[in-house]
Amino acid sequence: MDFGIVLQCDPPASRVVELAVAAENRGFSYVWTFDSHLLWQEPYVIHSQILSATRNVTVGPMVTNPLTRDATVTASTFATLNSMFGNRTVCAIGRGDSAVRSLAGKPSTLGTLRSAVETISDLANGRTTEVNGSTVRFPWATKSSLDVYVGAYGPKALDLCGQVADGFLLQLADPAITKWTIERVKNAAADAGRNPDDIKVCVAAPAYVGDNLDHQRDQCRWFGGMVGNHVADIVEKYGTGGGVPKELTDYIKGRQGYDYNEHGRSGNTHTSFVPDEIVDRFCILGTPDNHIERLRELEALGVDQFAIYLQHDGQDQTIVEYGRAIMPVINRPPAAIL
């Protein structure tokens, strides 16, 4: 299993780069960042600095969107970074949450998302594509290679992911929901004539290593609020039925709004509706043994990467503990002498 970290682009940017370097030194292979240009600093500028300061990690947004960023410009950004630093970028894209809603916008349609995935994938992999009736390509990007992940929760978005994406991004670590979403994505891939095994699966969620569960829950409760923004859209569209698991939809009954000025931050005052049970299911908390147990469960469901949201007060400790006590167990190397 691969491991990654997910960072906000809070100033100073040097701290974001510092955490990326620390993660690579501890064995992490992916570094992701939020992409909300109004709330945080510009991620792609910081991505270039992370790539310059590291040697092996793959870097990308979690997640970008097709509304605040034109798909051809996004593709050019990735292809340029690949040209400068080798093929070490990845793109995760969704319909749009904080970047769009903080500007009083609404998430994109699935049709717009599909078009963006296809455009970004074609151009950033050196292929031609159709844009506004014109056939275009990057003549300088013939060696660029980019995986495009789609972040999804709802049935139709999961189907779209299976039909067109290289990877599936699920932003929570609940095994029951993970099982349902992966099956939906893989079945959609098979129905589209694709090999379901070709679609990579990344689960992203806060992880906090330690003994004080009450403190960890308080530090990570914000995540249930963030996921709740997407769940609210699903409930509005499908109701509480529609084949969507109640494990995903029931908990937002007490949700009364959301302040994007506190998006993704521990202590978010608009997430008191999130119960401890949801924090425990959506995140991975507790001792190293607790983390290993959950990761083994996710791995058995077909998860290829676990990415840690580090929006809590134990950033450095969590990176160290994963590198010391968790990743070596999950990815134990073969013996030198047989």
Side-chain angles (χ1 to χ4, degrees):
M1 180 183 283
D2 285 321
F3 288 87
I5 60 170
V6 188
L7 304 170
Q8 288 173 342
C9 293
D10 284 313
S14 57
R15 171 59 174 165
V16 183
V17 176
E18 177 184 273
L19 286 167
V21 171
E24 179 177 68
N25 289 340
R26 292 288 179 174
F28 288 82
S29 50
Y30 282 81
V31 175
W32 306 84
T33 70
F34 283 55
D35 179 7
S36 292
H37 61 287
L38 190 65
L39 301 178
W40 300 289
Q41 293 183 328
E42 177 58 27
Y44 297 115
V45 175
I46 298 173
H47 290 177
S48 71
Q49 295 301 303
I50 293 173
L51 289 164
S52 180
T54 58
R55 294 294 176 266
N56 298 304
V57 291
T58 298
V59 179
M62 186 182 286
V63 296
T64 192
N65 72 86
L67 297 180
T68 61
R69 298 198 185 272
D70 177 85
T72 61
V73 178
T74 298
S76 179
T77 299
F78 288 117
T80 301
L81 291 172
N82 285 341
S83 176
M84 293 174 66
F85 300 104
N87 289 318
R88 294 173 52 203
T89 63
V90 62
C91 176
I93 187 170
R95 295 174 59 218
D97 180 29
S98 59
V100 176
R101 297 188 211 253
S102 62
L103 293 170
K106 295 182 179 180
S108 77
T109 65
L110 290 178
T112 298
L113 177 60
R114 179 189 294 270
S115 177
V117 171
E118 292 171 344
T119 297
I120 294 168
S121 183
D122 282 343
L123 291 176
N125 283 285
R127 300 189 295 264
T128 59
T129 197
E130 297 292 319
V131 178
N132 297 328
S134 297
T135 301
V136 298
R137 63 185 292 266
F138 297 149
W140 45 268
T142 56
K143 294 182 180 180
S144 178
S145 177
L146 179 77
D147 283 338
V148 179
Y149 285 62
V150 166
Y153 296 100
K156 291 185 178 180
L158 294 167
D159 290 346
L160 183 153
C161 178
Q163 292 159 6
V164 301
D166 300 302
F168 165 48
L169 170 64
L170 176 63
Q171 291 165 296
L172 53 80
D174 175 80
I177 298 171
T178 299
K179 182 176 185 295
W180 174 74
T181 55
I182 290 176
E183 287 178 352
R184 183 95 189 195
V185 168
K186 301 276 188 175
N187 288 339
D191 291 343
R194 305 179 67 198
N195 183 351
D197 294 335
D198 289 343
I199 300 176
K200 302 170 185 176
V201 178
C202 174
V203 161
Y208 197 135
V209 183
D211 298 320
N212 189 338
L213 274 176
D214 288 339
H215 179 73
Q216 292 177 32
R217 287 168 178 150
D218 287 344
Q219 285 287 302
C220 297
R221 199 174 307 277
W222 65 267
F223 185 67
M226 186 187 83
V227 173
N229 297 328
H230 303 284
V231 174
D233 289 341
I234 293 171
V235 171
E236 182 179 354
K237 182 167 185 172
Y238 297 98
T240 55
V244 181
K246 290 186 176 182
E247 292 93 337
L248 180 60
T249 59
D250 275 1
Y251 84 99
I252 68 162
K253 292 176 182 177
R255 182 177 181 269
Q256 297 182 341
Y258 192 82
D259 183 355
Y260 277 91
N261 287 309
E262 297 183 314
H263 185 63
R265 300 188 185 279
S266 61
N268 187 322
T269 58
H270 290 75
T271 59
S272 59
F273 71 93
V274 180
D276 287 350
E277 181 247 343
I278 288 295
V279 181
D280 291 347
R281 286 203 288 112
F282 284 14
C283 308
I284 305 183
L285 310 176
T287 67
D289 286 343
N290 297 136
H291 288 249
I292 290 166
E293 181 180 4
R294 178 76 67 85
L295 290 167
R296 288 293 193 202
E297 192 171 359
L298 294 173
E299 187 177 42
L301 294 172
V303 174
D304 302 295
Q305 180 190 160
F306 178 60
I308 303 172
Y309 277 96
L310 282 175
Q311 287 64 56
H312 54 61
D313 63 4
Q315 293 179 325
D316 297 284
Q317 170 198 344
T318 298
I319 290 173
V320 169
E321 286 300 303
Y322 259 74
R324 182 191 68 84
I326 297 171
M327 292 192 295
V329 176
I330 298 296
N331 294 330
R332 195 182 304 277
I337 300 174
L338 301 179

